[in-house]
């Protein structure tokens, strides 16, 4: 069931490790002070996923990456991949919690997480956000949950009721 989810992670890891990504990261470092001290995207990810580090500094990194993605620059794909991989432990936790809601539909869960994560990154108003990483993760989980509730409500609304002609009076227990 996790194969699609893990395949997404491996795809993101490969995209961050390409030669093109390395040159894009060098350009990103020139424009964003919070990224300047990292040698490459892999070093940045090790820092973001590590237990050590200042939360304010990590927040500045995520804010810079969100700005890049929202600016729709050439390096937006790299910035989005780094955000995804930096938040992967939290996104994986969401995936594990929501599997019960998408039982038998693992691809639908991966798709929903992808859609919600992309929307949250593009829609984040960084002027109103204090902790970027926490806000992104919480909003993704909330949006996945709410979208699933809407889908269930729509399924209930569209459920076919039995027709009168399908009813067999002998099946009634209270005759």
């Amino acid at each position: 069931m996790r194969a699609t989810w893990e395949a997404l992670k491996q795809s993101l890891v490969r995209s961050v490790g390409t030669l093109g990504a390395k040159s894009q990261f060098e350009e990103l470092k020139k424009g964003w002070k919070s990224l300047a001290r990292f040698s490459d995207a892999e070093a940045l990810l090790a820092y973001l996923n590590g237990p050590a580090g200042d939360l304010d500094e990590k927040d500045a990194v995520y804010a810079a990456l969100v700005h890049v993605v929202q600016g729709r620059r050439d390096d937006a794909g790299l910035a989005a991949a780094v955000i995804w991989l930096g938040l992967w432990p939290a996104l994986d936790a969401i995936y594990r919690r929501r599997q019960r809601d998408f039982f038998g539909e693992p691809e639908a869960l991966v798709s929903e997480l992808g859609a919600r994560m992309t929307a949250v990154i593009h829609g984040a108003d960084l002027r109103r956000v204090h902790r970027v990483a926490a806000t992104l993760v919480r909003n993704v989980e909330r949006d996945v949950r709410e979208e699933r509730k809407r889908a269930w409500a729509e399924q209930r609304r569209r459920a076919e009721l039995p027709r009168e002609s399908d009813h067999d009076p002998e099946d009634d227990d209270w005759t």
Side-chain angles (χ1 to χ4, degrees), residues 151-165:
W152 286 335
E154 181 67 20
Q155 286 174 349
R156 283 192 304 273
R157 191 178 69 74
R158 292 179 182 252
E160 286 191 34
L161 297 174
R163 288 183 234 126
E164 183 105 9
S165 61

Side-chain angles (χ1 to χ4, degrees), residues 17-162:
T18 65
L19 187 57
K22 290 184 187 308
S23 63
Q24 284 180 344
F25 190 77
E26 287 300 318
E27 290 299 315
L28 274 177
K29 286 178 12 176
K30 293 176 186 174
W32 297 96
K33 182 180 175 184
S34 59
L35 303 176
R37 74 178 185 96
F38 300 100
S39 60
D40 56 18
E42 288 91 352
L44 173 59
L45 287 168
Y47 173 74
L48 292 174
N49 287 318
D54 179 44
L55 289 179
D56 291 329
E57 186 178 8
K58 288 183 179 184
D59 219 44
V61 168
Y62 281 115
L65 295 169
V66 168
H67 273 294
V68 171
V69 172
Q70 289 177 346
R72 302 182 193 276
R73 300 171 12 163
D74 291 340
D75 45 12
L78 173 63
V82 171
I83 293 170
W84 268 86
L85 291 170
L87 297 176
W88 191 265
L91 294 172
D92 189 52
I94 294 170
Y95 178 86
R96 283 184 272 114
R97 281 192 298 273
R98 294 288 147 216
Q99 278 182 318
R100 69 180 186 275
D101 297 338
F102 290 83
F103 186 74
E105 303 176 279
E107 291 83 12
L109 175 55
V110 172
S111 177
E112 191 64 31
L113 275 168
R116 298 297 151 211
M117 183 65 172
T118 301
V120 164
I121 292 169
H122 283 280
D125 182 0
L126 296 176
R127 294 172 299 188
R128 297 179 43 203
V129 173
H130 180 63
R131 290 284 181 222
V132 177
T135 301
L136 295 175
V137 169
R138 285 184 182 143
N139 288 353
V140 166
E141 184 157 24
R142 180 202 63 216
D143 292 352
V144 167
R145 185 180 55 245
E146 293 303 315
E147 181 56 35
R148 198 58 178 176
K149 285 180 183 178
R150 279 192 290 276
W152 286 335
E154 181 67 20
Q155 286 174 349
R156 283 192 304 273
R157 191 178 69 74
R158 292 179 182 252
E160 286 191 34
L161 297 174

